[in-house]
Amino acid sequence: MARKAATSDGPSADTRIAILYGSEEMRKREAIEALRATLEAVHGSLEILTYDGKSAALSDVLDELRTFSLMQTFKIVIVDDADQFVMNHREAMERYAAAPVDTATLVLRSIKWNKGNLDKLVAKVGFVEKCEPMQHGEVKDWIFRRAKTHHQTTLELQAADLLIERMGTEIALIDGELGKLAVLAGEGNPITAKLVEQVVGRSSEEEAWSIQEAILNTISGGGAKPSIEMLHELVDLSGQPDVLVAYFTADIIRKLYLGMRLKQQGMNDFAIGRELRIWPQERQQVFTKALRAVSPSKLSELFDRIVELDVRAKSGQGDAVRNLEGFCALVGDK
């Protein structure tokens, strides 16, 4: 049966190969999210596997693509540093592109890319997308779209301008701030310029990690005292809003909970760190140590508790700092 051609300008249910290249990693992730959603709508649950193009064997990648899953799910097979992989196996990749399987989609993801005959073959069964940094106007449009589709919120016009002014145009960093601002604004409320002014720029990534690392170390057996001390250092000495510190705390517990679920599904530690965007390597090690130390029942208890505290904070119930002190003590309990 003749293969229906995939659209060359983006993902479709018929996409069997995609090439994503350029320096803007967030745009690559968005393209994969869109591809995943499109394929899930047709095939249901998907299996996603990732290979390092610098070290992966051609036979392993092709076998994965051609082997039908025991669960009979459709696959997305991602090869990172794909420029190196293709350079080493160009002829084989061109043969595969000429007749890809119908039960999997191959994603070649890379920063650098050397165009050639493979691009023409891929355009017949998928798409090629260059993912480069956006200009100011593009970023502004992206912020409004991303806020609505992924964070279920809206922004004031001045809020978007101020966010770009303070964060620059790197959309991965902006996306992290959007998630935080959406939580702080509260469900159903827009992100205002006043909220951006209060929050963005007052909190650095290092300060966020300082409380998160303290929580992770407490989970790993370090006791609650360092977490409580770091809480007061951020609120009392650095002047961080208590609601913001609460967000940082909730965020790391949420990531641990998701990490536990991914681990139960068989994902390895490196893949979990990548999926949850925990980097650099040193932070992944701290996160992994805590994930191994905590039991699923304890983590479920912590997750339920931090959700409860979030609700109480937004409704003005109790003192936020005192509530966080109690949470830190709960984290330290065995």
Side-chain angles (χ1 to χ4, degrees):
M1 182 174 67
R3 178 186 301 278
K4 180 181 177 181
T7 58
S8 60
D9 56 351
S12 78
D14 299 298
T15 297
R16 293 299 171 261
I17 308 178
I19 297 174
L20 304 173
Y21 71 98
S23 60
E24 182 52 81
E25 294 298 321
M26 186 68 191
R27 296 185 72 171
K28 296 175 197 174
R29 288 199 296 268
E30 282 194 301
I32 292 176
E33 287 174 5
L35 176 62
R36 178 176 185 169
T38 300
L39 293 171
E40 279 183 335
V42 176
H43 301 285
S45 61
L46 302 178
E47 185 177 6
I48 300 180
L49 304 104
T50 303
Y51 288 87
D52 181 353
K54 292 181 179 178
S55 58
L58 174 66
S59 58
D60 289 342
V61 174
L62 293 181
D63 285 348
E64 193 64 67
L65 288 164
R66 291 165 174 162
T67 301
F68 200 59
S69 171
L70 293 176
M71 300 299 293
Q72 297 186 347
T73 56
F74 195 89
K75 295 179 183 178
I76 296 178
V77 177
I78 301 172
V79 177
D80 283 322
D81 292 312
D83 59 323
Q84 184 67 48
F85 184 79
V86 170
M87 184 172 65
N88 293 338
H89 312 291
R90 183 170 296 278
E91 291 184 4
M93 293 308 299
E94 289 177 357
R95 287 196 298 271
Y96 178 80
V101 299
D102 287 321
T103 55
T105 292
L106 172 64
V107 177
L108 299 173
R109 182 167 58 184
S110 185
I111 295 176
K112 298 183 296 181
W113 188 254
N114 297 312
K115 293 183 177 181
N117 189 51
L118 179 61
D119 298 61
K120 298 176 183 178
L121 293 169
V122 168
K124 297 178 181 179
V125 294
F127 64 96
V128 179
E129 184 172 331
K130 186 177 183 180
C131 303
E132 294 294 352
M134 298 179 181
Q135 300 301 311
H136 185 285
E138 295 177 297
V139 173
K140 192 172 180 178
D141 291 340
W142 179 89
I143 288 174
F144 286 113
R145 183 175 67 253
R146 184 77 177 179
K148 181 178 180 180
T149 59
H150 284 73
H151 302 290
Q152 291 74 54
T153 190
T154 57
L155 294 92
E156 292 180 350
L157 181 62
Q158 296 87 345
D161 287 328
L162 185 57
L163 191 56
I164 296 173
E165 178 184 323
R166 295 201 171 186
M167 296 295 299
T169 57
E170 188 172 344
I171 57 177
L173 295 178
I174 291 175
D175 189 49
E177 291 297 315
L178 279 175
K180 179 169 63 183
L181 289 164
V183 172
L184 296 176
E187 185 175 355
N189 298 318
I191 296 171
T192 64
K194 182 179 180 180
L195 181 61
V196 175
E197 185 174 359
Q198 289 175 334
V199 173
V200 179
R202 294 189 63 186
S203 59
S204 69
E205 183 184 355
E206 287 301 321
E207 287 182 316
W209 175 247
S210 65
I211 185 64
Q212 292 178 340
E213 183 179 30
I215 292 291
L216 292 173
N217 286 333
T218 295
I219 289 175
S220 298
K225 184 178 179 181
S227 296
I228 295 174
E229 289 177 346
M230 182 55 66
L231 162 65
H232 283 283
E233 180 178 330
L234 289 174
V235 175
D236 300 336
L237 300 180
S238 297
Q240 292 293 343
D242 51 24
V243 67
L244 196 55
V245 178
Y247 171 83
F248 295 150
T249 304
D251 183 56
I252 199 62
I253 296 300
R254 178 185 64 83
K255 287 180 177 178
L256 276 172
Y257 185 78
L258 292 174
M260 176 191 71
R261 300 295 298 271
L262 293 172
K263 197 173 187 69
Q264 289 172 340
Q265 294 172 18
M267 187 175 288
N268 63 45
D269 294 335
F270 176 79
I272 290 172
R274 182 178 191 128
E275 179 72 17
L276 299 179
R277 304 178 193 175
I278 297 172
W279 55 74
Q281 185 71 29
E282 294 76 17
R283 294 184 181 181
Q284 286 189 18
Q285 291 171 354
V286 176
F287 181 86
T288 297
K289 183 180 179 181
L291 187 58
R292 291 174 176 173
V294 67
S295 68
S297 59
K298 177 68 174 182
L299 189 50
S300 295
E301 179 188 7
L302 293 176
F303 183 75
D304 290 341
R305 181 60 174 161
I306 201 66
V307 170
E308 177 189 345
L309 290 181
D310 180 59
V311 173
R312 292 181 65 183
K314 290 176 180 176
S315 58
Q317 298 179 34
D319 180 85
V321 174
R322 186 63 59 85
N323 287 340
L324 283 172
E325 285 179 344
F327 181 75
C328 290
L330 177 62
V331 171
D333 289 341
K334 294 300 180 183

